[in-house]
Amino acid sequence: MNGLERWGLSRRGTQLLWDDHDLSDLAARFGTPLFVVSRHRLEEAFTAMEAAFRSQGLALEIFFSVKTNPVPRVLEILAGCGAGAEVISEFELWLARKLGLDGDRIVVNGTLKSEALLRAAVTHGAHLINIETLAELETLREIVEREGRRANIGLRINPGLRKRAFHFTTASGSSTSPIGFRRGSGEWQKALRLIVRRPDLFAFRGLHFHLGSGIREAGPYRDALASAAGFFDDALAAGLQPEALDIGGGFGIDTLKEATAGEVLRLFVWNRGQEPPDATRSRGLLDEVADVCAGTLSDYARKRGIPPLRLLVEPGRALSGPAQILLLSVRSVRERARGRRAAFCDAGAMSLSPLLISESHAVFAAGRAEDAGRLRYDIYGSLPTPLDIVSLGRRLPELNPGDVLAVMDTGAYFTSLGNNFAGPRPAIAMIENGSASLIRKRETFEDLVSRDAVSGAGATEVSS
Ligand SMILES: Cc1ncc(COP(=O)(O)O)c(C=O)c1O
């Protein structure tokens, strides 16, 4: 697959189409900046993930990582496909419940879970509460004793991956990460003993790790599974019967690459952006990871004489990332030194998501024939700082004010990391059943001050 097709785009004359919709038309109808979600692409990503693991004989359970894209309609569609929810806060748990997910379809994570979150997880009978420290286990014990309900628990381990200097993708699972139990630590042994002693309070389900985000090869998963085997051995030796392994999320997507520390530095020092990855893989990442999981898990169960472990995943980016794009309008174009051109649009990294700085997103111009001239542009938002980047060094046809740009793969960590820097947040439209409609209205100025109080001479009332 080449060119536009890799992003699900096509051209008809000068129209740039995504999921059969003319992007200039969507921008004109709903205004920019605008996020557009494709229901079809969301469902397709879910089905592809399930198929990759099921083809290896693995009974996979998918819990969408809500923080990645906590937009109710997006969550609803994924839930309709069969996805549960991975939550890290009381808000996310509340949202999942509000959308109709039973506790059994919710996995609760979090480095510092509040008591209220733990209590809600217990009351709703969460499928899994992944405990990260002995102190958290003690707190949960008190809650469970009070509530008189058993809790389904997993233990988050630190698989101790070799720290790759200057790479961020596996940071959470690296040996220097402060997250997760460490094998051999007194805390790990004490946690196991506490769980063994209180089967009336804790239903031990298994282990959990999460390695990072934007991982583009199966190697780190292979290493983490090898490390998890040791933790499982400890649990078995302590008298626990693990039944599941939750390998978190982190799966990268083909059309997007996370920057290394060197690449971020280049961006700041020389204004040099990176191209999106262009190599098309012979085999999908998910197929490779599924292969590694199937082999390792069945080997492990056979050698230890235990039933095969259930496999849970908590994907975010791999499901919602490619299913959402961002439309921006060019407001001004300026010539810069050494033949560089800058195009300023209606929003950039400072309000939409800092990931526009640390990831390479493909950008296309709508309303132009494909063979229009190719010039290099540095694309910025509208804020008065060169950090308000959209993308640097992109090859595009000649741009003019009013042109619409499509920034691809913006479905992960955009709607959740966006902010109100100097103005309202964008609307979100969804393409479903052949037409497009808003699933989130653009914020208004009034929305931004609706919870504020003002006083003093000349102040107009903010809101009732
Ligand atoms: C525990 C956990 N699970 C799942 C995810 C989702 O990761 P991704 O979007 O890379 O799949 C995250 C993201 O930070 C996470 O922290």
Side-chain angles (χ1 to χ4, degrees):
M1 207 186 290
N2 274 315
L4 297 176
E5 271 174 63
R6 298 182 65 212
W7 286 272
L9 291 163
S10 60
R11 280 192 203 268
R12 190 164 56 206
T14 57
Q15 290 181 336
L16 182 62
L17 305 178
W18 192 63
D19 203 0
D20 287 334
H21 279 68
D22 176 6
L23 296 181
S24 301
D25 181 49
L26 291 180
R29 256 176 80 196
F30 299 114
T32 59
L34 176 75
F35 287 110
V36 186
V37 188
S38 157
R39 173 177 180 165
H40 161 72
R41 284 176 69 83
L42 207 49
E43 291 175 336
E44 204 174 53
F46 183 89
T47 314
M49 182 172 290
E50 236 181 10
F53 284 85
R54 296 230 161 121
S55 71
Q56 294 293 333
L58 288 163
L60 184 73
E61 293 163 69
I62 301 179
F63 294 83
F64 177 65
S65 177
V66 171
K67 62 183 139 339
T68 317
N69 194 331
V71 174
R73 186 72 190 122
V74 168
L75 299 175
E76 217 172 30
I77 284 167
L78 287 169
C81 293
E86 182 260 343
V87 305
I88 55 160
S89 69
E90 264 183 277
F91 163 67
E92 291 183 353
L93 179 58
W94 171 86
L95 182 58
R97 294 280 302 132
K98 195 172 166 62
L99 294 173
L101 287 181
D102 290 336
D104 188 43
R105 291 178 66 190
I106 299 174
V107 167
V108 179
N109 284 328
T111 305
L112 203 61
K113 300 176 194 71
S114 66
E115 265 197 62
L117 173 60
L118 287 173
R119 203 173 322 109
V122 172
T123 338
H124 294 302
H127 187 84
L128 192 62
I129 306 172
N130 285 317
I131 296 296
E132 301 208 359
T133 61
L134 184 60
E136 190 173 78
L137 189 62
E138 297 279 11
T139 307
L140 185 66
R141 174 172 66 170
E142 286 163 23
I143 292 170
V144 173
E145 278 173 341
R146 239 180 287 134
E147 300 286 323
R149 271 189 86 135
R150 241 172 138 220
N152 297 311
I153 63 163
L155 294 174
R156 178 161 180 174
I157 59 168
N158 180 317
L161 299 186
R162 190 173 55 83
K163 170 89 177 148
R164 294 180 68 205
F166 310 118
H167 286 74
F168 306 122
T169 52
T170 51
S172 304
S174 82
S175 55
T176 54
S177 159
I179 299 174
F181 285 99
R182 283 166 193 280
R183 190 155 186 239
S185 67
E187 198 179 358
W188 165 242
Q189 291 300 337
K190 279 186 195 153
L192 290 177
R193 282 200 296 272
L194 175 54
I195 300 168
V196 173
R197 272 205 316 275
R198 300 306 305 264
D200 54 326
L201 303 179
F202 301 126
F204 178 69
R205 300 296 176 209
L207 301 181
H208 169 235
F209 59 72
H210 171 74
L211 306 181
S213 199
I215 301 166
R216 291 165 54 76
E217 67 259 322
Y221 290 93
R222 184 180 297 109
D223 295 346
L225 285 163
S227 162
F231 285 89
F232 272 123
D233 283 348
D234 292 346
L236 286 168
L240 294 170
Q241 287 300 321
E243 56 170 67
L245 173 63
D246 173 355
I247 62 167
F251 314 114
I253 53 184
D254 281 356
T255 44
L256 188 66
K257 185 182 157 298
E258 293 243 330
T260 60
E263 284 162 341
V264 172
L265 200 68
R266 263 209 302 278
L267 183 105
F268 286 126
V269 178
W270 293 288
N271 269 207
R272 200 147 322 135
Q274 354 150 31
E275 295 291 335
D278 60 2
T280 313
R281 319 165 61 98
S282 55
R283 193 156 179 239
L285 170 72
L286 293 174
D287 292 313
E288 287 176 17
V289 175
D291 201 358
V292 167
C293 288
T296 316
L297 295 187
S298 65
D299 249 29
Y300 186 79
R302 195 170 24 79
K303 284 190 189 139
R304 303 295 185 274
I306 58 170
L309 296 165
R310 287 192 289 131
L311 184 68
L312 277 62
V313 288
E314 306 166 350
R317 178 190 297 279
L319 293 184
S320 61
Q324 179 171 304
I325 64 172
L326 167 69
L327 299 183
L328 299 172
S329 295
V330 176
R331 297 278 185 237
S332 148
V333 181
R334 297 177 200 164
E335 295 281 335
R336 296 175 62 212
R338 290 191 288 279
R340 286 183 83 128
R341 290 171 177 78
F344 293 85
C345 299
D346 38 14
M350 295 295 281
S351 59
L352 293 170
S353 171
L355 297 197
L356 281 172
I357 296 175
S358 63
E359 298 175 347
S360 58
H361 291 260
V363 181
F364 297 96
R368 296 304 176 87
E370 198 173 359
D371 54 1
R374 298 255 132 190
L375 302 169
R376 265 200 195 274
Y377 284 94
D378 295 331
I379 309 165
Y380 297 95
S382 59
L383 296 173
T385 158
L387 291 182
D388 199 26
I389 289 167
V390 173
S391 201
L392 300 185
R394 287 285 165 268
R395 284 187 186 281
L396 289 163
E398 187 177 345
L399 296 177
N400 292 301
D403 283 339
V404 172
L405 298 180
V407 184
M408 308 310 290
D409 301 312
T410 54
Y413 309 106
F414 275 72
T415 42
S416 47
L417 282 175
N419 62 61
N420 288 116
F421 198 121
R425 292 179 215 223
I428 308 174
M430 179 173 276
I431 302 173
E432 55 180 329
N433 307 322
S435 65
S437 57
L438 287 187
I439 57 168
R440 178 175 283 176
K441 287 191 229 161
R442 187 175 306 286
E443 270 176 351
T444 62
F445 298 162
E446 284 296 325
D447 287 336
L448 262 62
V449 293
S450 62
R451 287 169 293 114
D452 293 297
V454 287
S455 65
T460 45
E461 195 179 335
V462 172
S463 184
S464 53

